[in-house]
Structure formats: C-alpha cells, structure tokens
Amino acid sequence: MRKMALVFVFAALGSFGCDGTAGNPEDNALDVIDNAEKADGVIRPVGTYRNEAPTAGGFTAVVLKTDKTFRREVQVMCITTPCNPIATEGRYGWSKSGSTRYIRFLDENGDLIDRYAYTLSGDVLTLRVPNTTQKQKLTLSADAYCAVPADCELQDLAQPRCIGEWTCGAENTCAYECTTPCAAAGGTCVGLYPDACANGTVGDANTFSCGGGVGVQCCLPPTPVNACAAAGGTCVPLVPDACANGSVGDANTFSCGGGLGVQCCLPPTFNACQAAGGSCVALYPGACANGHVGDATQYSCGGGLGVECCLP
C-alpha cells in the first residue's frame, strides 16, 4: 500500500523559527486575565481571519466567535497529497502583560494550548509568538467559516436589511437568504401597476410585506375557491364599470381573499339582496327571525311582491 507522509508543523515556537532575538520583555512577565470591553476602548477581533499565502506551520484561518469558542486551521508541510490543514477547536480568552495583549487558546478541558500576542488594525489581525519577533498576519474574510448556521450568528457578520436567515453552504461558508413575509406566504413581490398580479391576489401590505421596497406589492397565489368564486362571481379591479354587467357583492360576504383594489362581481341573476349576502323570504312575521330585514330601497329582491330581504 502506498505510504503517505505528512510532516505536521504546528504553530508554536518552533513553527515560526525562534531566531534567538530578544522579544518583548513583557512576554516573560506574569500576564493577567484581561476583561476590558469595547466601552474601555478595546476592540476585539471577531470573525473569520484568513491567510491567503500561509507557510507550513502557520495559520490558514482563525475563527473567533462571540461565545468565546474558536476554530483554527494550521498549514502542513505537504509531501504527498492530500494536504488539508489541521483544524483545532476549543475556547479562548484574553490576557494582558503591561501594554501587550494576548489571546489564549484553550482545549476542551480548559487547559492552555498556547497564547499569542496580538494587535488588530482595521481588518488585519497580527499574531506573534511570545519571546520571538516572528509574526503572521491574517485578514478578516467576507467568506466566514461555518459548520452550522449558528456559527454565522456568532461572528457579528453584516446582515442584509431584510427578513431572512443565515445558512451554511457546501463550502462551509456563511450565506444570508432574505425571506420576506410575502415570500414566506408563498407570494411574489411584483411591480405596483395594473395586472401585475392578474393571476393571483394582491396581499395586504401590512401583513404580506415585501421588505419595505417602494413600488412593489405582494402577489399571492390564486385562492382555489374564495367566497366570491364560490357564489359564481368574479374578482375584478375596483374601478368604475368593472362590474357593469353584474352586481357588486358585499365584501364581507363575497370576499376576494383579502386582496386590495378588487371587488366581487356577481352574475346579473343576483339581486341587491343576494349581493349583500341576504336571502329573499316571504313577507310575514318571523320569516327573518335569525337575521334582520334590509331596507327594500337598498336591498331589493328584484321587484317581487310579498317578499323581503333577510340579511345575515
């Protein structure tokens, strides 16, 4: 069987080559836990920092999350492929000696793995091995690392101004997918112009928002059978003469599904009483005991004698 040899050179003192040069004398002093916050003027590195040209033993990536967990990847000296970086995960903390600040990497048991003096300048994180002058620089990456979507939420990533959620792609990088209330309801945001939603129903903007966009509306899928359609009517635009050949149905009874700017046009066989959701009953006491009698001038039963309109 073919043998593959990998020489692992970890990012410790030897990995950067201790050159014998005297480092910062504060490296040898006892460092103390550093709990300074942003309010104290201290900006901590958070996110995924990458080195695009790492050397063997150096970090290819350091991921620092707000819950004080980390992931770091170390480049190996490759003899035979594959030569994937070696990943380590655990917890981290901060310490300080004089004016020098350190990041302390801990294993799952809370024991110290190693520590690095660090400085942060804009998006550039510089790490130095104590007692040496050897440094490596990593830059904050837009391609943040993730194993699960929750990793993205813990890296203070800039979130698009839309309702949605973080996802973790196949390349283990974070991506944000916008989901508006309109889309969540199965609708589509379309232009605010006539017939843009001819094959659906315009949703109430207060409920089915398109994310605050101007000049757009939510077009919901057509309702298979709404109250208007169930009565044999048709939902038409709320404009004059749109129902010239029929009668406009009461919106509370013959709903078009909550769409704005539409009305129910009932067949001409419907009279004003039926259009309001009422029934024409005989004109005698108790005939409308479960409703109320509508005004004949508004809720006509078609001119028939001896009948009245019983409204719900």
Side-chain angles (χ1 to χ4, degrees):
M1 184 176 74
R2 181 181 179 183
K3 294 183 179 180
M4 295 186 295
L6 289 177
V7 178
F8 301 105
V9 189
F10 290 94
L13 295 179
S15 65
F16 292 94
C18 183
D19 55 8
T21 304
N24 187 330
E26 294 176 343
D27 292 343
N28 293 317
L30 180 65
D31 57 338
V32 296
I33 299 302
D34 183 9
N35 292 319
E37 300 292 341
K38 184 179 294 186
D40 302 316
V42 177
I43 306 299
R44 304 292 194 191
V46 175
T48 299
Y49 293 83
R50 298 186 186 276
N51 186 343
E52 299 302 328
T55 57
F59 291 127
T60 62
V62 173
V63 184
L64 301 173
K65 293 177 279 188
T66 56
D67 65 350
K68 292 296 182 67
T69 60
F70 77 86
R71 174 187 173 89
R72 65 187 199 182
E73 299 176 358
V74 177
Q75 182 65 48
V76 300
M77 182 177 293
C78 187
I79 300 211
T80 304
T81 59
C83 302
N84 298 322
I86 302 300
T88 304
E89 296 183 344
R91 301 190 63 82
Y92 69 91
W94 311 108
S95 63
K96 182 179 179 182
S97 176
S99 61
T100 303
R101 298 184 184 278
Y102 302 89
I103 180 170
R104 302 167 62 87
F105 293 105
L106 312 174
D107 63 20
E108 59 183 12
N109 296 319
D111 296 325
L112 180 67
I113 300 173
D114 50 29
R115 67 170 184 157
Y116 292 86
Y118 81 90
T119 58
L120 182 66
S121 178
D123 290 341
V124 178
L125 174 64
T126 301
L127 299 176
R128 179 180 61 81
V129 176
N131 295 310
T132 78
T133 58
Q134 300 299 316
K135 301 176 180 178
Q136 56 179 323
K137 294 183 177 182
L138 300 98
T139 304
L140 185 64
S141 175
D143 295 327
Y145 170 86
C146 62
V148 293
D151 290 336
C152 305
E153 299 173 3
L154 295 172
Q155 294 185 63
D156 286 350
L157 300 176
Q159 179 176 317
R161 299 184 64 180
C162 65
I163 299 173
E165 61 183 2
W166 288 105
T167 62
C168 191
E171 299 297 323
N172 288 111
T173 55
C174 296
Y176 191 84
E177 294 183 356
C178 293
T179 304
T180 63
C182 176
T188 304
C189 292
V190 298
L192 191 62
Y193 58 86
D195 297 328
C197 188
N199 296 321
T201 302
V202 176
D204 186 320
N206 294 318
T207 304
F208 304 103
S209 167
C210 280
V214 177
V216 293
Q217 59 188 345
C218 180
C219 183
L220 296 170
T223 304
V225 178
N226 53 38
C228 177
T234 304
C235 293
V236 297
L238 190 61
V239 297
D241 299 327
C243 190
N245 297 323
S247 58
V248 177
D250 183 277
N252 293 319
T253 304
F254 302 102
S255 169
C256 280
L260 299 178
V262 292
Q263 59 188 346
C264 180
C265 183
L266 295 169
T269 53
F270 269 65
N271 53 42
C273 177
Q274 291 173 308
S279 301
C280 292
V281 298
L283 188 61
Y284 63 85
C288 191
N290 295 323
H292 67 279
V293 177
D295 187 322
T297 61
Q298 297 183 43
Y299 305 103
S300 168
C301 278
L305 299 177
V307 292
E308 61 186 353
C309 180
C310 183
L311 296 170

